[in-house]
Amino acid sequence: MLFATPHCLSSSTCVPFSISLKPNSSLSRKPRFSTWVSSRTRSTPLCTASLITSPDSFEVGRLIGSYGFMNVTSYSGFQAGADLEFSSGDLGQLRVQDVGEGSVKIRLYEGRIAQGPLKGTPVIFKVYPGKRAAGIEADMMAANELNAHAFLQSSSEGICKNLLLLLGGFETKTGEQWLAFRGEGKYSAADFAKATSEKVSRVRSLQENSWNPFEKEQAFKRRAYFVIRLFLGAMRGLAYMHNHERLHQSLGPASVILNTIVERDAAYLVPKLRDLAFSVDISFSSLEEGPSTFTEGLWRRASSAGAFTPMEKRAFGIADDIYEAGLLFAYLAFVPFCEAGIMDGLSLQRLLESTFKLDVMATREYCLADDRLLEAVKFLDLGEGAGWELLQAMLNPDFRKRPIAEAVVNHRFLTADVL
């Protein structure tokens, strides 16, 4: 089973190109995608009918990146001293997982809508390889992502501004599934963290002895405000999903799209969640159907944590998403405030899980002794330690004690004037 957060790979060698999809193009196909849509979605007919499924309606631009997914192949019991790459449930039931690279490689392209009322609208194409290249997994992931977006976009409450909007897609002769999303951001939270940490390195190397203390404090406040708004937007998107009976199950820095990474433009920042290929339906009717390809590992871990009834499994699934969101929060609290190469997501996760067994305040004491991590400590210290308080709650070893997404959104660290 495929699981965990996608990792964006370098695309610096990509060469721009532009093609228009015509009926006789090798990328086009008679609108089989429209029947694929109707057969794979359980949303309202109005929503699926509004998706654009004709290849003629799109123009494809340059390749802008690619994705890989991690493949969890086995689970074993907790052993003292082991490196814990992923964990959940009670502390005594932490799991060590064997992780390898999955077979599904996803490409991203720029593009636009070429005709109709949305003509000129920029889009980002997410391309799932066909069965020949990646087996049935890729088709299942594409269908699951399509179904999740179509369902969430059919809500009577309207479309959530913190979720990426699916506009349509098509299937090629080789069986590739091209999903078209509104092009509302080219950057991810991982891009922001990388660019910012590199900026920290440059500034400290050039102005180590001359940086004005006032300018330094203002730069810290701008960064802190940007990170808070980024995480708040991501959590609003997750809260919307949970309120509509959907788990994300692939939440990480690469799964949050940003319309800007300029800290001075934080007031205009609109984070959006993407990558719903592993999304799980947690409605009670779905829970009673038994495990599927994308839920087998989740419910196995739920059982290990003592969650057996549909209500307990639902609570575990939500808490599992919150745990992943907690790791995202830790990533955003550290990486953008440190020099490049000082801290990364995996090292931070091991520090929290393996070294300090999810004792966040013990982690703080450790970080205080390292001058390179002091800015991150200062950030989480805001509001008299409100950041550490939130992080500890989200990473609570007991899944039953983790807050729901709405409670995170309303936490004082994200709502109060901590700056």
Side-chain angles (χ1 to χ4, degrees), residues 357-413:
K357 305 298 187 292
L358 300 180
D359 185 339
V360 168
M361 296 315 294
T363 306
R364 179 184 182 276
E365 293 303 312
Y366 170 85
C367 295
L368 276 174
D370 191 333
D371 291 344
R372 302 171 301 173
L373 305 177
L374 290 181
E375 288 287 284
V377 174
K378 180 180 177 181
F379 172 69
L380 291 170
D381 278 348
L382 292 172
E384 299 181 346
W388 296 104
E389 174 188 282
L390 177 59
L391 184 60
Q392 182 66 81
M394 299 181 74
L395 298 182
N396 196 306
D398 185 349
F399 77 88
R400 300 169 184 85
K401 296 180 180 179
R402 293 174 202 155
I404 63 172
E406 286 283 2
V408 175
V409 168
N410 294 314
H411 191 274
R412 64 192 183 97
F413 186 75

Coordinates of all heavy atoms in Angstrom, one line a residue, residues 357-413:
K357 N 11.0 11.0 22.5 CA 9.7 10.2 22.7 C 8.5 11.1 22.8 O 7.7 10.9 23.6 CB 9.9 9.3 24.0 CG 11.1 8.4 24.0 CD 11.0 7.4 22.9 CE 12.1 6.4 23.0 NZ 13.5 6.9 22.8
L358 N 8.5 12.1 21.9 CA 7.3 13.0 21.8 C 7.2 13.9 23.1 O 6.1 14.5 23.3 CB 6.0 12.3 21.5 CG 6.0 11.5 20.2 CD1 4.7 10.8 20.1 CD2 6.3 12.3 19.0
D359 N 8.2 14.1 23.8 CA 8.3 15.1 24.9 C 8.7 16.4 24.3 O 9.9 16.6 24.2 CB 9.2 14.6 26.0 CG 9.2 15.5 27.3 OD1 8.7 16.7 27.1 OD2 9.5 15.0 28.3
V360 N 7.8 17.2 24.0 CA 8.1 18.5 23.3 C 8.9 19.4 24.2 O 9.8 20.1 23.7 CB 6.8 19.2 22.8 CG1 7.0 20.6 22.4 CG2 6.1 18.3 21.7
M361 N 8.7 19.5 25.4 CA 9.4 20.5 26.3 C 10.8 20.0 26.5 O 11.8 20.8 26.6 CB 8.7 20.6 27.6 CG 7.3 21.3 27.5 SD 7.3 22.7 26.4 CE 8.3 23.9 27.3
A362 N 11.1 18.7 26.5 CA 12.4 18.2 26.5 C 13.2 18.5 25.2 O 14.4 18.9 25.3 CB 12.4 16.7 26.8
T363 N 12.4 18.5 24.1 CA 13.0 18.9 22.9 C 13.4 20.4 22.9 O 14.5 20.8 22.4 CB 12.0 18.7 21.7 OG1 11.5 17.3 21.7 CG2 12.6 19.0 20.4
R364 N 12.6 21.2 23.6 CA 12.9 22.6 23.7 C 14.2 22.8 24.4 O 15.0 23.7 24.0 CB 11.7 23.3 24.4 CG 12.0 24.8 24.6 CD 10.8 25.5 25.4 NE 11.1 26.9 25.5 CZ 11.9 27.5 26.5 NH1 12.5 26.7 27.4 NH2 12.1 28.8 26.5
E365 N 14.4 22.1 25.5 CA 15.6 22.3 26.3 C 16.8 21.9 25.5 O 17.8 22.6 25.6 CB 15.5 21.4 27.6 CG 14.4 21.8 28.6 CD 14.6 23.3 29.0 OE1 15.8 23.6 29.4 OE2 13.7 24.1 29.0
Y366 N 16.7 20.9 24.7 CA 17.8 20.5 23.8 C 18.1 21.6 22.8 O 19.2 21.9 22.6 CB 17.4 19.2 23.1 CG 18.3 18.8 22.0 CD1 19.5 18.1 22.2 CD2 18.0 19.1 20.6 CE1 20.3 17.7 21.2 CE2 18.8 18.8 19.6 CZ 20.0 18.0 19.9 OH 20.8 17.7 18.9
C367 N 17.0 22.1 22.2 CA 17.2 23.2 21.2 C 17.8 24.5 21.8 O 18.6 25.2 21.1 CB 15.9 23.5 20.5 SG 15.2 22.1 19.5
L368 N 17.5 24.8 23.0 CA 18.1 26.0 23.6 C 19.6 25.9 23.7 O 20.2 27.0 23.8 CB 17.5 26.1 25.0 CG 16.1 26.8 25.2 CD1 15.6 26.7 26.6 CD2 16.2 28.3 24.7
A369 N 20.1 24.7 23.8 CA 21.6 24.6 23.9 C 22.3 24.7 22.6 O 23.5 24.6 22.5 CB 21.9 23.2 24.5
D370 N 21.5 24.8 21.5 CA 22.1 24.9 20.1 C 21.8 26.3 19.6 O 20.6 26.6 19.2 CB 21.6 23.8 19.2 CG 22.3 23.7 17.9 OD1 22.9 24.7 17.5 OD2 22.3 22.6 17.3
D371 N 22.8 27.1 19.4 CA 22.6 28.5 18.9 C 21.9 28.5 17.6 O 21.2 29.5 17.2 CB 23.9 29.3 18.9 CG 24.4 29.6 20.3 OD1 23.7 29.5 21.3 OD2 25.6 29.9 20.4
R372 N 22.1 27.5 16.8 CA 21.6 27.5 15.4 C 20.0 27.3 15.4 O 19.4 27.5 14.4 CB 22.2 26.4 14.6 CG 23.7 26.4 14.5 CD 24.3 25.2 13.9 NE 24.0 24.0 14.7 CZ 24.2 22.7 14.3 NH1 24.8 22.5 13.1 NH2 23.9 21.7 15.1
L373 N 19.5 26.9 16.5 CA 18.0 26.6 16.6 C 17.3 27.6 17.5 O 16.1 27.5 17.7 CB 17.8 25.2 17.2 CG 18.5 24.0 16.5 CD1 18.2 22.7 17.3 CD2 18.0 23.9 15.1
L374 N 18.0 28.7 17.9 CA 17.3 29.6 18.8 C 16.2 30.4 18.2 O 15.2 30.7 18.9 CB 18.4 30.6 19.4 CG 19.4 29.9 20.3 CD1 20.4 31.0 20.8 CD2 18.7 29.2 21.5
E375 N 16.3 30.7 16.9 CA 15.2 31.4 16.3 C 13.9 30.6 16.3 O 12.8 31.1 16.4 CB 15.5 31.9 14.9 CG 16.6 33.0 14.8 CD 16.0 34.3 15.2 OE1 15.3 34.9 14.4 OE2 16.3 34.8 16.4
A376 N 14.0 29.3 16.1 CA 12.9 28.4 16.1 C 12.3 28.3 17.5 O 11.0 28.4 17.6 CB 13.3 27.0 15.6
V377 N 13.1 28.3 18.5 CA 12.7 28.2 19.9 C 11.9 29.5 20.2 O 10.8 29.5 20.8 CB 13.8 28.1 20.8 CG1 13.4 28.2 22.3 CG2 14.5 26.7 20.6
K378 N 12.5 30.7 19.7 CA 11.9 32.0 19.9 C 10.5 32.0 19.3 O 9.5 32.6 19.9 CB 12.7 33.1 19.3 CG 12.2 34.5 19.5 CD 13.2 35.5 18.9 CE 12.6 36.9 18.9 NZ 13.5 37.9 18.3
F379 N 10.3 31.4 18.1 CA 9.0 31.4 17.4 C 8.0 30.6 18.2 O 6.9 31.1 18.5 CB 9.2 30.8 16.0 CG 7.9 30.6 15.3 CD1 7.1 31.6 14.9 CD2 7.4 29.3 15.1 CE1 5.9 31.4 14.3 CE2 6.2 29.0 14.5 CZ 5.5 30.1 14.0
L380 N 8.4 29.4 18.7 CA 7.4 28.6 19.4 C 7.2 29.2 20.9 O 6.2 28.8 21.5 CB 7.9 27.2 19.5 CG 7.9 26.4 18.2 CD1 8.6 25.1 18.3 CD2 6.4 26.2 17.7
D381 N 8.1 30.0 21.3 CA 7.9 30.6 22.7 C 6.9 31.8 22.7 O 6.5 32.2 23.7 CB 9.3 31.2 23.2 CG 10.1 30.1 23.8 OD1 9.6 29.0 24.1 OD2 11.3 30.4 24.0
L382 N 6.5 32.2 21.5 CA 5.6 33.3 21.4 C 4.3 33.0 22.1 O 3.9 31.9 22.2 CB 5.2 33.6 19.9 CG 6.4 34.2 19.1 CD1 5.9 34.3 17.6 CD2 6.8 35.6 19.5
G383 N 3.7 34.0 22.7 CA 2.5 33.8 23.5 C 2.7 33.0 24.8 O 1.9 32.2 25.1
E384 N 3.9 33.2 25.4 CA 4.3 32.5 26.6 C 4.3 31.0 26.4 O 3.7 30.2 27.2 CB 3.3 32.9 27.8 CG 3.4 34.3 28.1 CD 2.5 34.7 29.3 OE1 1.6 33.8 29.7 OE2 2.6 35.8 29.9
G385 N 4.9 30.6 25.3 CA 5.0 29.2 25.0 C 3.8 28.5 24.3 O 3.7 27.3 24.3
A386 N 3.0 29.4 23.7 CA 1.8 28.8 23.0 C 2.1 27.9 21.9 O 1.3 26.9 21.6 CB 0.9 30.0 22.6
G387 N 3.2 28.2 21.2 CA 3.6 27.3 20.1 C 3.9 25.9 20.6 O 3.5 24.9 20.0
W388 N 4.7 25.8 21.6 CA 5.1 24.5 22.2 C 3.8 23.8 22.7 O 3.7 22.5 22.6 CB 6.1 24.7 23.3 CG 7.4 25.2 22.9 CD1 7.8 26.5 23.1 CD2 8.4 24.5 22.2 NE1 9.1 26.7 22.5 CE2 9.5 25.5 22.0 CE3 8.6 23.2 21.7 CZ2 10.6 25.1 21.3 CZ3 9.7 22.9 21.0 CH2 10.8 23.8 20.9
E389 N 2.9 24.5 23.3 CA 1.7 24.0 23.8 C 0.8 23.3 22.7 O 0.3 22.2 22.8 CB 0.8 25.1 24.5 CG -0.5 24.7 24.9 CD -1.3 25.9 25.4 OE1 -1.1 26.3 26.5 OE2 -2.2 26.4 24.6
L390 N 0.7 24.0 21.6 CA 0.0 23.5 20.4 C 0.7 22.3 19.8 O 0.0 21.3 19.5 CB -0.2 24.6 19.4 CG -0.9 24.2 18.1 CD1 -2.3 23.6 18.3 CD2 -0.9 25.4 17.1
L391 N 2.0 22.4 19.7 CA 2.8 21.2 19.1 C 2.6 20.0 20.0 O 2.4 18.9 19.5 CB 4.2 21.6 19.0 CG 5.2 20.6 18.3 CD1 4.7 20.3 16.9 CD2 6.6 21.1 18.3
Q392 N 2.7 20.2 21.3 CA 2.6 19.0 22.2 C 1.2 18.4 22.1 O 1.1 17.1 22.1 CB 2.8 19.4 23.7 CG 2.8 18.3 24.7 CD 3.9 17.2 24.5 OE1 5.0 17.4 24.9 NE2 3.6 16.1 23.8
A393 N 0.2 19.2 22.0 CA -1.2 18.7 21.9 C -1.4 17.9 20.6 O -2.0 16.8 20.6 CB -2.2 19.8 21.9
M394 N -0.8 18.4 19.5 CA -1.0 17.7 18.2 C -0.2 16.4 18.1 O -0.6 15.5 17.4 CB -0.6 18.6 17.1 CG -1.5 19.9 17.0 SD -1.0 21.0 15.6 CE -1.7 20.1 14.2
L395 N 0.9 16.3 18.9 CA 1.8 15.2 18.8 C 1.6 14.3 20.1 O 2.4 13.5 20.4 CB 3.2 15.6 18.7 CG 3.7 16.3 17.5 CD1 5.1 16.6 17.5 CD2 3.3 15.6 16.2
N396 N 0.5 14.5 20.7 CA 0.2 13.7 21.9 C 0.3 12.2 21.6 O -0.4 11.7 20.7 CB -1.2 14.0 22.5 CG -1.4 13.5 23.9 OD1 -1.2 12.4 24.2 ND2 -1.7 14.4 24.8
P397 N 1.0 11.4 22.4 CA 1.1 10.0 22.1 C -0.2 9.2 22.1 O -0.4 8.2 21.4 CB 2.1 9.5 23.2 CG 2.9 10.6 23.6 CD 1.9 11.8 23.5
D398 N -1.1 9.7 22.9 CA -2.5 9.1 23.0 C -3.4 9.8 22.0 O -3.7 11.0 22.1 CB -3.0 9.3 24.4 CG -4.4 8.6 24.6 OD1 -4.9 8.2 23.6 OD2 -4.8 8.5 25.7
F399 N -3.8 9.1 20.9 CA -4.5 9.7 19.9 C -5.8 10.3 20.4 O -6.4 11.3 19.8 CB -4.8 8.7 18.7 CG -5.9 7.7 19.0 CD1 -7.2 8.0 18.7 CD2 -5.6 6.5 19.5 CE1 -8.2 7.1 18.9 CE2 -6.6 5.6 19.8 CZ -7.9 5.9 19.5
R400 N -6.4 9.8 21.5 CA -7.6 10.3 22.0 C -7.5 11.7 22.6 O -8.5 12.4 22.8 CB -8.1 9.3 23.1 CG -8.4 7.9 22.6 CD -8.6 6.9 23.7 NE -8.8 5.5 23.3 CZ -7.8 4.7 23.1 NH1 -6.5 5.2 23.3 NH2 -7.9 3.5 22.6
K401 N -6.3 12.1 22.9 CA -6.1 13.4 23.5 C -5.7 14.5 22.5 O -5.5 15.6 22.9 CB -5.1 13.3 24.6 CG -5.5 12.4 25.8 CD -4.5 12.3 26.9 CE -4.9 11.4 28.0 NZ -3.9 11.3 29.1
R402 N -5.5 14.1 21.3 CA -5.2 15.2 20.3 C -6.4 16.0 19.9 O -7.5 15.5 19.9 CB -4.6 14.5 19.0 CG -3.3 13.8 19.2 CD -2.9 13.0 18.0 NE -1.9 12.0 18.4 CZ -1.7 10.9 17.7 NH1 -2.4 10.7 16.5 NH2 -0.8 10.0 18.1
P403 N -6.2 17.3 19.7 CA -7.3 18.2 19.3 C -7.8 17.9 17.9 O -7.1 17.3 17.1 CB -6.7 19.6 19.4 CG -5.2 19.4 19.0 CD -4.9 18.0 19.6
I404 N -9.1 18.2 17.7 CA -9.6 18.2 16.3 C -9.1 19.4 15.5 O -8.6 20.3 16.1 CB -11.1 18.1 16.3 CG1 -11.7 19.4 16.9 CG2 -11.6 16.9 17.0 CD1 -13.2 19.5 16.8
A405 N -9.3 19.4 14.2 CA -8.7 20.4 13.4 C -9.3 21.8 13.8 O -8.6 22.8 13.8 CB -9.0 20.1 11.9
E406 N -10.6 21.8 14.0 CA -11.3 23.1 14.4 C -10.6 23.7 15.7 O -10.5 24.9 15.8 CB -12.8 22.9 14.6 CG -13.6 22.7 13.3 CD -13.8 24.0 12.6 OE1 -13.3 25.0 13.0 OE2 -14.5 23.9 11.5
A407 N -10.3 22.8 16.6 CA -9.7 23.3 17.9 C -8.3 23.9 17.6 O -7.9 24.9 18.2 CB -9.6 22.2 18.9
V408 N -7.5 23.3 16.6 CA -6.2 23.8 16.2 C -6.4 25.2 15.6 O -5.7 26.1 15.9 CB -5.5 22.9 15.3 CG1 -4.2 23.5 14.8 CG2 -5.2 21.5 16.0
V409 N -7.4 25.3 14.7 CA -7.6 26.6 14.0 C -7.9 27.7 15.0 O -7.5 28.8 14.8 CB -8.8 26.4 13.0 CG1 -9.3 27.8 12.6 CG2 -8.4 25.6 11.8
N410 N -8.6 27.3 16.1 CA -9.0 28.3 17.1 C -8.0 28.4 18.3 O -8.3 29.1 19.3 CB -10.4 28.0 17.7 CG -11.5 28.1 16.6 OD1 -11.5 29.1 15.9 ND2 -12.3 27.2 16.5
H411 N -6.8 27.8 18.2 CA -5.9 27.8 19.3 C -5.3 29.2 19.4 O -5.1 29.9 18.3 CB -4.7 26.8 19.0 CG -3.8 26.6 20.2 ND1 -2.7 27.4 20.4 CD2 -3.8 25.7 21.2 CE1 -2.1 27.0 21.5 NE2 -2.7 26.0 22.0
R412 N -4.9 29.6 20.6 CA -4.5 31.0 20.8 C -3.2 31.3 20.0 O -2.9 32.5 19.7 CB -4.3 31.2 22.3 CG -3.2 30.4 23.0 CD -3.3 30.5 24.5 NE -2.2 29.8 25.1 CZ -1.1 30.3 25.6 NH1 -0.9 31.6 25.4 NH2 -0.1 29.6 26.2
F413 N -2.4 30.3 19.7 CA -1.2 30.6 19.0 C -1.5 31.1 17.6 O -0.7 31.9 17.0 CB -0.3 29.4 18.9 CG 1.1 29.6 18.3 CD1 2.1 30.3 19.0 CD2 1.4 29.2 17.0 CE1 3.3 30.6 18.4 CE2 2.6 29.5 16.4 CZ 3.6 30.1 17.2

